[in-house]
Structure formats: C-alpha cells, structure tokens
Amino acid sequence: MNNENFNFFANQSVQIDLGNFIISLIVASILSLLIQFFYIKFSSTLSNRIHFSKNFIVLGVTTAIIIMIVKNSLALSLGLVGALSIVRFRAAIKEPEELIYLFLIIATGLGCGAGQIKITIVGVLFSLFIIYFYYFVLSKKKIEYSELINLAIIIDQDIKEEEITKIINKLKSISTELNFVSLSKTENNTSLNIDIRPKEFTEIIKITDIINKEFTKSKIVVARNNNLAL
C-alpha cells in the first residue's frame, strides 16, 4: 500500500447524519424493549428473567452506535477488531434460549446501526411472531415444564411402606413420568429420591406443602435431575 492510500484510510473522517443517527437509536431502543417484553413474558428459562434482560436495551443501542461509527471507516473497523481481541466478555449463559435472545438483540443493533431500519423491523417482528406462535399454538400448555425434576424427600423418622406408596401415588397424579432413583431407610430417617416430569411446576409446590404438613420433620429438595445426586 502506497503512502497516499495509507493516509486515506488512516485519516478518513466519519460523517454521520445526526437525524439518521437519532432515528436508528430510537428504533433500536423500541425493538430491544419489545424483545425484552417477549423474553420476560414467553421465555421458559428458570433464571431471573427481569434481572437478565435489564441490559437488553443498552446492548442493542450500544451495538447500533458501534456499527454507525465504524461502518464508514476501515481504520475504525480494524481498531474495533483489535479492541475486541483484547477484551474478553464473559456472561453466565445457562440456557440456549438466553443466547438466542442475545443474538436477536445484537442483530437488532447491527441492522439499525447499518441503516437497514425497515429490514430490521420486519426481521425482528417476524422472529417475535414465531415466538408468539410457538408459545400459544404449538405448545399444548402455555407453561409446560418439560424437563425431568429430581425430588429428594428426607423425613426424620422411619415411615411405613403404605406411607411411601401414598407419597409416590400423589407424585404420579401430578406428573407425566416418574422414575425411582433410590430409597434409604434407617431407624430415624427415610430418604426417597425420585425423578419426575411434572404436568405443572406449581403442582410440585402443592405436593411439597402436603408432605410437610403430614411429616413435620421433613425436608424436600427440588432440582434438575443432573444437578442433584443422593
């Protein structure tokens, strides 16, 4: 590269129209807010949705600002690549669904920053329509907990077989699948470990309340089947 070309790329000024800049930020904010609403309303993740999504708008707007600044400057684009190669971003992403929503926010910022407002709006609305359609039409229930739950029941007394059978029958009535894991009995303690797939997660809370009332000295641990082992 000769000196003339080098000076052109190194000293290239970035001209951003203020009106388009403001419009892109407003559209990115509105779309990010809409995505945040859909995430809180329709997501099936177990994490705190409000806490996780509180930065959606900031992420979308920040992405739009970065793209608007660097899109017309090769030097700034190369500088951005160098900066991102130094900075390491770490986030506690526990479920793929969270990552999908983050990609949707970033895509919103990229589209608005690149000036593709109409295409971005259509793409985001179409994505949200798919989420809405899947949630209300394809799902048999609005909130269906499809994962296996590990239920550990620890009672500080030696209970009879009839009482254990009674507990299992109650669990069967609220679940679509029940798998026995382990049973441990001593003179002063009974531990029952079962994997269940509940019809409704709220039913587990009701059953645990019933067990706690029947056996005052009892402890119940509810977790994903791969997060608890007894």
Side-chain angles (χ1 to χ4, degrees):
M1 181 182 294
N2 55 38
N3 292 333
E4 183 179 353
N5 292 333
F6 177 80
N7 291 330
F8 171 78
F9 289 115
N11 301 317
Q12 183 183 11
S13 60
V14 180
Q15 300 296 331
I16 301 176
D17 182 73
L18 183 59
N20 293 333
F21 180 80
I22 295 176
I23 293 175
S24 297
L25 292 184
I26 293 175
V27 174
S29 301
I30 295 175
L31 292 178
S32 298
L33 180 62
L34 188 60
I35 295 171
Q36 181 182 8
F37 171 78
F38 267 70
Y39 175 76
I40 296 174
K41 182 70 175 178
F42 303 118
S43 175
S44 61
T45 59
L46 295 178
S47 59
N48 191 326
R49 301 174 193 174
I50 297 177
H51 177 74
F52 181 79
S53 64
K54 67 180 181 180
N55 293 320
F56 276 13
I57 298 177
V58 178
L59 177 61
V61 171
T62 302
T63 305
I65 293 174
I66 293 174
I67 296 303
M68 281 186 283
I69 292 175
V70 306
K71 68 178 181 178
N72 293 323
S73 174
L74 179 61
L76 292 176
S77 301
L78 295 176
L80 177 63
V81 173
L84 294 179
S85 65
I86 298 174
V87 179
R88 300 179 65 186
F89 296 96
R90 297 192 179 195
I93 306 299
K94 299 179 181 179
E95 301 184 33
E97 188 176 12
E98 296 177 351
L99 191 60
I100 291 173
Y101 275 93
L102 287 178
F103 271 117
L104 187 56
I105 290 290
I106 294 173
T108 300
L110 289 172
C112 293
Q116 305 297 328
I117 302 295
K118 294 181 181 179
I119 294 177
T120 303
I121 293 175
V122 173
V124 171
L125 292 180
F126 183 76
S127 300
L128 296 180
F129 173 77
I130 292 176
I131 296 173
Y132 181 88
F133 179 81
Y134 181 80
Y135 185 82
F136 281 102
V137 178
L138 297 183
S139 298
K140 295 181 180 180
K141 296 182 179 180
K142 292 184 178 180
I143 301 178
E144 180 179 353
Y145 200 92
S146 59
E147 294 189 53
L148 278 174
I149 294 295
N150 185 279
L151 195 63
I153 304 172
I154 304 172
I155 302 173
D156 291 336
Q157 65 183 81
D158 185 11
I159 62 176
K160 300 179 180 179
E161 293 183 4
E162 292 79 7
E163 294 173 318
I164 296 176
T165 304
K166 186 178 179 181
I167 293 174
I168 293 177
N169 289 334
K170 288 180 179 179
L171 295 176
K172 284 182 178 179
S173 65
I174 65 163
S175 60
T176 59
E177 180 181 348
L178 186 147
N179 299 317
F180 174 79
V181 178
S182 65
L183 173 64
S184 175
K185 294 184 64 177
T186 63
E187 294 181 357
N188 302 317
N189 180 272
T190 301
S191 297
L192 180 63
N193 196 352
I194 297 175
D195 284 341
I196 66 172
R197 194 183 304 275
K199 299 175 183 177
E200 293 284 346
F201 188 78
T202 53
E203 295 295 330
I204 295 182
I205 301 176
K206 296 179 182 179
I207 291 296
T208 55
D209 291 339
I210 293 174
I211 295 175
N212 286 328
K213 289 179 181 179
E214 293 183 358
F215 306 98
T216 55
K217 296 181 179 180
S218 63
K219 177 183 178 182
I220 300 176
V221 180
V222 180
R224 292 182 182 177
N225 65 331
N226 59 350
N227 289 345
L228 180 66
L230 294 180

Short mmCIF file of all heavy atoms in Angstrom, two decimals, residues 83-84 87-91:
data_model
loop_
_atom_site.label_atom_id
_atom_site.label_comp_id
_atom_site.label_asym_id
_atom_site.label_seq_id
_atom_site.Cartn_x
_atom_site.Cartn_y
_atom_site.Cartn_z
N ALA A 83 -9.51 -4.19 19.38
CA ALA A 83 -10.00 -3.98 20.75
C ALA A 83 -10.75 -5.19 21.27
O ALA A 83 -10.58 -5.62 22.41
CB ALA A 83 -10.88 -2.74 20.81
N LEU A 84 -11.59 -5.78 20.40
CA LEU A 84 -12.37 -6.95 20.82
C LEU A 84 -11.49 -8.18 21.01
O LEU A 84 -11.86 -9.10 21.72
CB LEU A 84 -13.47 -7.24 19.80
CG LEU A 84 -14.57 -6.18 19.68
CD1 LEU A 84 -15.58 -6.59 18.63
CD2 LEU A 84 -15.26 -5.98 21.02
N VAL A 87 -10.30 -7.51 24.74
CA VAL A 87 -11.33 -7.61 25.78
C VAL A 87 -11.99 -8.98 25.71
O VAL A 87 -12.37 -9.45 24.63
CB VAL A 87 -12.38 -6.50 25.59
CG1 VAL A 87 -13.46 -6.62 26.66
CG2 VAL A 87 -11.71 -5.13 25.66
N ARG A 88 -12.15 -9.60 26.84
CA ARG A 88 -12.81 -10.91 26.92
C ARG A 88 -14.14 -10.73 27.63
O ARG A 88 -14.19 -10.30 28.78
CB ARG A 88 -11.94 -11.92 27.66
CG ARG A 88 -10.59 -12.15 27.02
CD ARG A 88 -9.78 -13.15 27.81
NE ARG A 88 -10.40 -14.46 27.81
CZ ARG A 88 -9.95 -15.48 28.53
NH1 ARG A 88 -8.89 -15.34 29.31
NH2 ARG A 88 -10.55 -16.65 28.49
N PHE A 89 -15.23 -11.06 26.92
CA PHE A 89 -16.55 -10.93 27.51
C PHE A 89 -16.96 -12.27 28.11
O PHE A 89 -16.88 -13.31 27.45
CB PHE A 89 -17.56 -10.51 26.43
CG PHE A 89 -17.29 -9.15 25.87
CD1 PHE A 89 -16.58 -9.00 24.69
CD2 PHE A 89 -17.74 -8.02 26.52
CE1 PHE A 89 -16.34 -7.74 24.16
CE2 PHE A 89 -17.50 -6.76 26.01
CZ PHE A 89 -16.80 -6.61 24.83
N ARG A 90 -17.41 -12.21 29.33
CA ARG A 90 -17.87 -13.42 30.00
C ARG A 90 -19.25 -13.17 30.57
O ARG A 90 -19.46 -12.19 31.25
CB ARG A 90 -16.92 -13.83 31.13
CG ARG A 90 -15.52 -14.17 30.63
CD ARG A 90 -14.71 -14.85 31.70
NE ARG A 90 -13.39 -15.19 31.22
CZ ARG A 90 -12.57 -16.05 31.84
NH1 ARG A 90 -12.94 -16.61 32.95
NH2 ARG A 90 -11.38 -16.31 31.34
N ALA A 91 -20.17 -14.06 30.28
CA ALA A 91 -21.53 -13.94 30.80
C ALA A 91 -22.00 -15.31 31.24
O ALA A 91 -21.65 -16.33 30.65
CB ALA A 91 -22.47 -13.37 29.74
#
